[in-house]
Amino acid sequence: MKSILVTGCNRGIGLGLIRRLVKHPDPPVHVIATCRSVEKAKELQQIATQHNNVHLLELDVRDYDRYEEFSKKVKEIVKEDGLNILFNNAGVSSKFTRIQLVKSEQMLEAFKVNTIGPIMLTKALLPLLKQAANNNSEGPLGAQKAVVINTTSVLGSIALNNDGGFFPYRCSKAALNMATKSLSVDLLKDQILVTCIHPGWVKTDMGGSNAPLDVDTSVTGIIELIRNLNETHNGGFYQFDGQRLDW
Ligand SMILES: NC(=O)c1ccc[n+]([C@@H]2O[C@H](COP(=O)([O-])OP(=O)(O)OC[C@H]3O[C@@H](n4cnc5c(N)ncnc54)[C@H](OP(=O)(O)O)[C@@H]3O)[C@@H](O)[C@H]2O)c1
């Protein structure tokens, strides 16, 4: 892959992905890492200083009106190569979301960040994804063409929901799963692969300290999975280690 754009890179899984990508023996030509405030993202700044293939761009994924301006900045980086991978990682979850406590504002916020952001950003970056796919028109579907990855969660699986609750998070990720499937149908003609990945239960601010996986294990698996993506993954729901999950 020549280029990858990851949202929400100042901490957690996003930051872990950038750390791992720059150390890869065959690193991407352009790693575009977004965060809400570059000034506050000290570790990202340090990585970008040490690796000139890392570009930092500011993006609050709820600012849909700024996506056009944002896509122009991405175009200035990738130029005629287009964008190979859009990794929609930024996400939110809220506490106290059992039915007695859940608030409509929590539901709206979850949908804005977890569902609408990935759909609208895919739309905004579509010309660049198409360009990358076109540039390698003879190649198989996958990371050398163009891929959209939506970071979902096992909590967004209807089939695997035995514990209830978590209305904002579960519903917004289930909706993201549906968006992934629709995008995979709609964008197949453009040779863009679309899939969703559950990173595992990971020790981050969101996952908490009881999570069994560290960030590095999760992102190492995710990068391996990205490199191996092929047409069988289009429209699917996968865990960081490549295991297919039930919707
Ligand atoms: N950790 C887990 O166990 C787990 C399990 C399943 C799925 N996931 C998914 O994995 C992804 C990353 O999670 P994580 O564990 O790394 O969470 P995290 O540590 O809480 O980090 C979340 C990231 O998303 C960013 N973000 C939140 N709202 C944003 C907005 N409006 N605009 C732009 N960026 C925003 C945050 O930036 P700020 O610092 O600016 O808030 C931060 O960089 C999420 O989609 C999450 O749902 C995580």
Side-chain angles (χ1 to χ4, degrees):
M1 74 178 102
K2 280 191 177 157
S3 57
I4 179 166
L5 186 153
V6 185
T7 60
C9 294
N10 55 310
R11 58 190 170 103
I13 292 165
L15 180 59
L17 276 169
I18 305 304
R19 273 197 210 117
R20 219 8 51 232
L21 282 167
V22 297
K23 285 189 194 144
H24 199 277
D26 181 19
V29 177
H30 299 295
V31 176
I32 304 169
T34 84
C35 59
R36 285 198 268 192
S37 161
V38 169
E39 199 197 333
K40 290 184 191 157
K42 298 294 176 204
E43 185 170 345
L44 256 193
Q45 283 183 32
Q46 200 180 356
I47 296 173
T49 312
Q50 290 162 354
H51 301 273
N52 60 11
N53 58 338
V54 176
H55 313 264
L56 308 186
L57 292 181
E58 285 189 347
L59 179 71
D60 184 321
V61 297
R62 296 167 302 181
D63 287 345
Y64 317 123
D65 292 348
R66 299 186 63 186
Y67 279 10
E68 204 180 312
E69 176 198 332
F70 175 78
S71 71
K72 284 185 188 148
K73 290 182 186 161
V74 177
K75 166 96 185 170
E76 280 166 23
I77 296 167
V78 298
K79 301 197 167 67
E80 299 311 313
D81 286 339
L83 178 67
N84 293 109
I85 304 193
L86 166 60
F87 197 109
N88 286 306
N89 165 72
V92 287
S93 78
S94 36
K95 296 199 171 81
F96 310 119
T97 52
R98 289 268 162 198
I99 190 63
Q100 295 83 353
L101 297 169
V102 69
K103 297 190 172 79
S104 55
E105 305 87 76
Q106 294 170 323
M107 296 292 301
L108 288 168
E109 178 68 3
F111 273 85
K112 279 182 189 165
V113 178
N114 296 348
T115 317
I116 303 172
I119 297 171
M120 299 315 288
L121 192 57
T122 304
K123 180 183 173 188
L125 295 174
L126 209 47
L128 297 178
L129 291 161
K130 283 185 187 174
Q131 197 168 7
N134 258 336
N135 287 349
N136 189 9
S137 58
E138 300 303 313
L141 217 56
Q144 286 173 353
K145 281 190 152 169
V147 173
V148 176
I149 295 162
N150 291 326
T151 310
T152 184
S153 169
V154 71
L155 295 180
S157 165
I158 294 173
L160 302 174
N161 181 359
N162 299 312
D163 300 320
F166 288 109
F167 290 93
Y169 193 70
R170 282 194 191 278
C171 297
S172 61
K173 292 293 190 183
L176 177 65
N177 289 353
M178 179 56 91
T180 303
K181 180 67 193 183
S182 271
L183 285 168
S184 75
V185 173
D186 293 353
L187 303 186
L188 187 58
K189 65 175 186 331
D190 299 312
Q191 296 287 287
I192 300 169
L193 188 155
V194 188
T195 191
C196 50
I197 295 182
H198 164 55
W201 182 17
V202 187
K203 281 186 186 60
T204 61
D205 293 337
M206 186 185 292
S209 55
N210 290 332
L213 285 174
D214 58 34
V215 169
D216 203 46
T217 306
S218 169
V219 300
T220 302
I222 291 171
I223 291 170
E224 185 63 17
L225 179 55
I226 295 175
R227 288 187 178 264
N228 292 324
L229 286 173
N230 59 51
E231 74 275 7
T232 65
H233 295 93
N234 194 37
F237 180 9
Y238 294 90
Q239 189 166 273
F240 72 101
D241 58 4
Q243 187 192 322
R244 198 171 184 131
L245 296 174
D246 288 339
W247 295 112

